[in-house]
Structure formats: structure tokens, C-alpha cells
């Protein structure tokens, strides 16, 4: 969709990335470390000072202790962390429970390792998990359950009861949890992020994955990290070592410095909630159906009042004819389940959102038959 947006000079609210600059301080820190000569391979698990900062943050935010030497690894983005975690524990025939719609790297990572994704479908408008359905799918073959909160693409957020249910279903089992928490700091309306790190019974067999790109507005730097107990992390590093070996050196040094100021990420929910609210207000007159996202920087909308075509076709149409690109939510379901929903990324300058909304105003209600 980004390609199509460029081709048609459309405003690109499709792919998830901010169109504003990251903090100037971060850019000058990277430059500083490059000029200092820190341009060669970092240690395989990442530079120690950054792992120490992450351990400190984890303890402060989630009251959870991770040993920087043995339980924290810096990765080139959350995506590599997800791939390495899956590769380290999933073998032929192992089943992995995946909630759909899902971020698009999950199933390929499972399948490349000859694992079997077992899909649980989540439905609009609230995309709640039916834990009884999950329970029925759990068997001796279940090796892993993947969760993602706040959720891409739907903006849904897991609550304390969801975590209790997950705990109930996996207790007395060896099922590993992969918790994708890349949007940990982007959560709205006073909701709390229920990190798996806060639940020791789950954390003791979990990979928990984060991304600097989402928190510091630089998705193109591809930087993230994984936390896991030592035994799991030992396996993780065996895969990570030969997938990529290590992540970008000067940027690691810059983040280690940047993380000394936690006020940065504490302001993120408020920053993005304002953008969500503004975007929703701007498209108020468009006959979309909107359930405000509870987290992430994505807002899904239903267009059933406007057209009956497939979401894929509708997304292409509004890119070409109206000049606004989005992502059809069916692309996040392996069977292309089509609830006539589009995902818009609101991590954009207000002026970009205004221009997009102005164009979307031209969408009118379909005539009733
Ligand atoms: N998980 C989710 C849910 C995401 O939305 C993304 C990025 N779109 C990632 C993981 C990957 O993060 P990164 O860009 O750091 O690889």
C-alpha cells in the first residue's frame, strides 16, 4: 500500500510509521558515537550499558528483575526478536496459537521453522479473546501461545482478566508465551499495560519483546530487544547469533544514554491519545463506523455504510481516487476474513491527518436500496 500511495501521490496512512522526526538529541547522540569510532560489531547480546538500562527500566516499570548478562538481548527490531524466539523453541509439528488478525511476521516465522500456526479469530468491534475457544485448542502439541497487547492492527488491549485466563489455561504446562509488547507505552483512556513481566508465573516461561522504533519514533532504525529467563535466553541467543549476530552499535550507545530520562516514554500515551482523538474528530462526518483504539497508533474503521466491495478493493479505490492509503484488515487474517474494515495509522503530523481527513470527507453514504 505504501508503494501504491507513492504511485498515486496519496497521503500514506497505511504502513505504521511516524512522519515526524525523532528527538534531535537522539540523532546527535548517534552522530557523536559514530564520530567517536563506535562503528564496529557490538557484542552478540548487545552492549552491556544498554542491557543494564533496560534491566533498570523493567524493574521500575514492571517490578520484574532481569539479569542484563543472561536474560536481555538487543535485536535489530522486534521482528528479529520474534523470529529468533520462535526459531529457538519451535520444531517440526509444534503448534503455536496465534490470534488473528495478527501482525504479519508471526505465521511465516512459525512456518519457516516447520511449526503449525493454530489460529483463533478475533472479531470486530472489540476483538476480545474467547478464552474458552483457546482452551479447546490447547493440546500436548501446543508449544507456544503468542499474544500482542496493545494490538496491531486493531488497537485492542488485554486486561487483567485476559491475563488470568491465560495463566489458568497454561498452568501446569510447559507452554511458552511469546508476548509482543512493542506498543507498551502507547495505551489510552487511563488503561494499564498488563505486561507479562508483571506476572511471574507466566514470565518464567515467556519471551517478551519490545521495539525502540515505536517508542522513539524511528522505526527505520530497526532496534528492539527481548527479555526471557536465562534458560530460554540461552536458546534464543543460539538462534540470534547466526541470524544476525548483533544490532547496530552507535544506536545502542545512543539509546543507553537516552534511556536515562524515563520522562520521554511516560509522555507517549498522552501524545498519541491526542492524535487518536484528533483523527477521530477529523473524520467524524465521514460515514465510517469507529470504535476508538485503546492502544497502538492504529485506528480501524468500518466502511459498511459507504460501500459493499471487498476491503482490499476499497483500500485501493480510496488510495487511487481519494488519495489516502490505508491497509485492508483482511490482510491480517490468513484466510483474508473481510469485515469491511480499514486500518489507518495516526502517527502523523496533525497537518497530514487534516489533509487526509479533508480527502476522506468526500466519501459518502451508499444509497439504501
Ligand atoms: N510487533 C508488532 C505488533 C508490530 O506492529 C511491529 C512493527 N510494525 C513489530 C512487532 C516489529 O517491530 P520492529 O519494527 O522493531 O521490527
Amino acid at each position: 500500500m505504501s508503494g501504491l500511495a507513492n504511485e498515486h501521490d496519496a497521503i500514506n496512512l497505511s504502513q505504521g510509521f511516524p512522519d515526524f522526526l525523532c528527538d534531535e538529541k537522539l540523532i546527535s547522540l548517534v552522530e557523536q558515537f559514530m564520530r567517536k569510532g563506535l562503528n564496529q560489531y557490538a557484542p552478540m547480546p548487545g552492549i552491556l550499558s544498554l542491557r543494564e538500562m533496560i534491566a533498570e527500566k523493567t524493574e521500575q516499570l514492571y517490578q520484574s528483575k532481569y539479569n542484563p548478562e543472561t536474560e536481555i538481548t538487543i535485536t535489530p527490531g522486534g521482528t528479529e526478536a520474534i523470529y529468533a524466539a520462535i526459531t529457538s523453541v519451535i520444531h517440526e509439528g509444534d503448534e503455536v496459537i496465534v490470534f488473528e488478525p495478527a501482525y504479519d511476521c508471526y505465521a511465516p516465522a512459525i512456518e519457516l521453522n516447520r511449526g503449525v500456526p493454530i489460529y483463533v479469530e478475533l472479531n470486530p468491534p472489540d476483538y476480545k479473546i474467547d478464552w474458552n475457544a483457546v482452551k479447546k485448542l490447547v493440546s500436548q502439541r501446543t508449544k507456544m501461545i503468542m499474544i500482542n497487547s496493545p494490538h496491531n492492527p486493531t488497537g485492542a488491549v488485554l486486561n487483567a482478566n485476559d491475563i488470568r485466563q491465560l495463566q489458568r489455561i497454561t498452568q501446569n504446562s510447559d507452554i511458552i508465551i511469546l508476548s509482543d509488547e512493542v506498543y507498551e507505552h502507547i495505551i489510552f483512556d487511563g488503561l494499564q499495560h498488563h505486561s507479562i513481566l508483571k506476572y511471574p508465573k507466566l514470565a518464567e516461561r515467556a519471551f517478551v519483546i519490545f521495539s525502540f522504533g515505536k517508542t522513539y519514533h524511528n522505526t527505520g532504525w530497526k532496534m528492539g530487544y527481548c527479555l526471557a529467563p536465562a534458560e530460554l535466553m540461552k536458546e534464543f541467543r543460539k538462534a540470534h547469533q547466526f541470524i544476525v549476530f548483533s544490532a547496530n552499535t552507535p544506536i545502542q550507545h545512543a539509546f543507553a544514554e537516552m534511556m536515562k530520562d524515563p520522562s520521554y516514554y511516560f509522555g507517549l500515551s498522552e501524545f498519541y491519545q491526542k492524535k487518536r482523538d484528533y483523527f477521530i474528530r477529523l473524520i467524524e462526518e465521514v460515514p465510517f463506523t469507529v470504535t476508538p483504539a485503546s492502544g497502538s497508533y492504529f485506528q480501524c474503521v468500518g466502511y459498511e455504510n459507504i460501500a459493499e466491495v471487498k476491503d482490499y478493493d476499497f483500500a485501493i479505490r480510496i488510495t487511487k481516487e481519494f488519495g489516502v492509503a490505508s491497509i485492508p484488515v483482511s490482510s491480517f487474517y490468513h484466510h483474508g476474513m473481510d469485515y469491511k474494515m480499514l486500518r489507518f495509522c495516526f502517527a502523523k503530523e496533525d497537518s497530514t491527518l487534516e489533509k487526509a481527513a479533508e480527502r476522506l470527507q468526500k466519501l459518502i453514504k451508499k444509497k439504501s436500496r
Side-chain angles (χ1 to χ4, degrees):
M1 292 307 294
S2 281
L4 194 72
N6 288 337
E7 221 175 281
H8 292 272
D9 207 17
I11 296 165
N12 188 4
L13 306 190
S14 64
Q15 219 177 345
F17 59 83
D19 72 345
F20 37 85
L21 283 180
C22 69
D23 200 306
E24 187 53 43
K25 184 178 161 198
L26 196 47
I27 294 175
S28 47
L29 279 169
V30 175
E31 185 189 352
Q32 213 174 294
F33 288 116
M34 282 179 170
R35 291 197 188 285
K36 251 188 166 170
L38 295 166
N39 298 305
Q40 310 308 330
Y41 297 126
M44 185 269 280
I47 64 164
L48 187 58
S49 58
L50 180 55
R51 287 184 276 145
E52 283 170 347
M53 288 310 300
I54 291 168
E56 207 173 290
K57 170 185 175 181
T58 303
E59 186 164 4
Q60 271 168 13
L61 274 189
Y62 303 120
Q63 298 74 52
S64 179
K65 277 192 199 287
Y66 278 75
N67 182 339
E69 297 277 1
T70 54
E71 300 183 314
I72 300 174
T73 300
I74 314 299
T75 60
T79 309
E80 195 261 334
I82 291 166
Y83 189 76
I86 289 172
T87 301
S88 65
V89 294
I90 297 302
H91 304 296
E92 187 157 5
D94 287 341
E95 293 186 356
V96 181
I97 294 185
V98 177
F99 299 99
E100 277 197 325
Y103 179 53
D104 56 5
C105 80
Y106 296 174
I110 297 163
E111 286 169 347
L112 277 166
N113 285 290
R114 297 179 192 276
V116 184
I118 302 292
Y119 296 104
V120 179
E121 195 180 300
L122 310 178
N123 310 314
D126 56 6
Y127 298 96
K128 282 265 161 242
I129 295 178
D130 174 352
W131 290 104
N132 286 328
V134 179
K135 192 164 180 230
K136 286 186 194 140
L137 293 172
V138 170
S139 74
Q140 290 297 328
R141 292 183 299 280
T142 310
K143 190 71 182 267
M144 178 184 273
I145 299 179
M146 294 179 77
I147 55 169
N148 170 216
S149 180
H151 187 256
N152 176 12
T154 68
V157 162
L158 297 181
N159 61 29
N161 181 51
D162 289 310
I163 306 296
R164 261 197 304 277
Q165 299 293 334
L166 178 63
Q167 213 155 313
R168 186 176 59 88
I169 287 173
T170 55
Q171 68 192 357
N172 306 321
S173 80
D174 296 328
I175 296 173
I176 292 165
I177 310 297
L178 190 156
S179 184
D180 177 344
E181 304 186 12
V182 300
Y183 300 102
E184 66 177 324
H185 297 302
I186 312 181
I187 185 158
F188 311 135
D189 307 321
L191 292 171
Q192 238 198 72
H193 174 50
H194 287 276
S195 173
I196 287 302
L197 300 174
K198 288 203 268 192
Y199 299 86
K201 286 219 170 72
L202 291 169
E204 70 185 17
R205 50 197 158 77
F207 294 105
V208 189
I209 287 163
F210 300 91
S211 170
F212 288 105
K214 314 293 177 186
T215 301
Y216 291 93
H217 311 317
N218 40 34
T219 59
W221 290 8
K222 292 297 288 186
M223 294 290 288
Y225 58 95
C226 178
L227 306 186
E231 314 83 75
L232 281 181
M233 187 50 80
K234 200 168 146 198
E235 297 306 307
F236 179 97
R237 288 180 179 175
K238 287 180 194 169
H240 169 73
Q241 174 166 9
F242 298 112
I243 295 170
V244 64
F245 186 71
S246 64
N248 185 302
T249 305
I251 295 181
Q252 290 193 55
H253 285 281
F255 279 129
E257 210 38 53
M258 204 67 187
M259 284 185 77
K260 290 181 181 159
D261 177 13
S263 69
Y264 178 84
Y265 43 78
F266 287 138
L268 215 55
S269 286
E270 192 188 336
F271 171 79
Y272 274 122
Q273 184 169 327
K274 275 197 189 134
K275 292 223 172 276
R276 176 202 65 173
D277 292 345
Y278 191 46
F279 181 58
I280 292 177
R281 211 164 56 244
L282 287 169
I283 58 168
E284 218 165 41
E285 302 291 312
V286 186
F288 286 141
T289 45
V290 181
T291 303
S294 296
S296 83
Y297 47 48
F298 301 111
Q299 178 61 55
C300 289
V301 306
Y303 63 86
E304 67 278 11
N305 295 326
I306 302 172
E308 280 168 19
V309 294
K310 286 187 189 148
D311 64 357
Y312 180 82
D313 296 331
F314 191 65
I316 290 178
R317 189 181 134 205
I318 66 166
T319 307
K320 288 184 177 172
E321 291 177 23
F322 295 83
V324 183
S326 59
I327 302 268
V329 175
S330 67
S331 63
F332 298 95
Y333 290 95
H334 74 293
H335 279 326
M337 194 66 208
D338 183 2
Y339 288 104
K340 311 237 175 297
M341 304 284 286
L342 300 178
R343 188 199 77 176
F344 289 102
C345 172
F346 56 78
K348 306 292 170 191
E349 297 278 12
D350 287 354
S351 57
T352 311
L353 298 176
E354 285 158 11
K355 268 187 242 149
E358 203 183 303
R359 295 179 181 194
L360 292 170
Q361 300 299 338
K362 295 181 195 124
L363 288 167
I364 51 164
K365 228 176 172 152
K366 71 181 178 212
K367 294 203 174 70
S368 49
R369 286 188 200 141

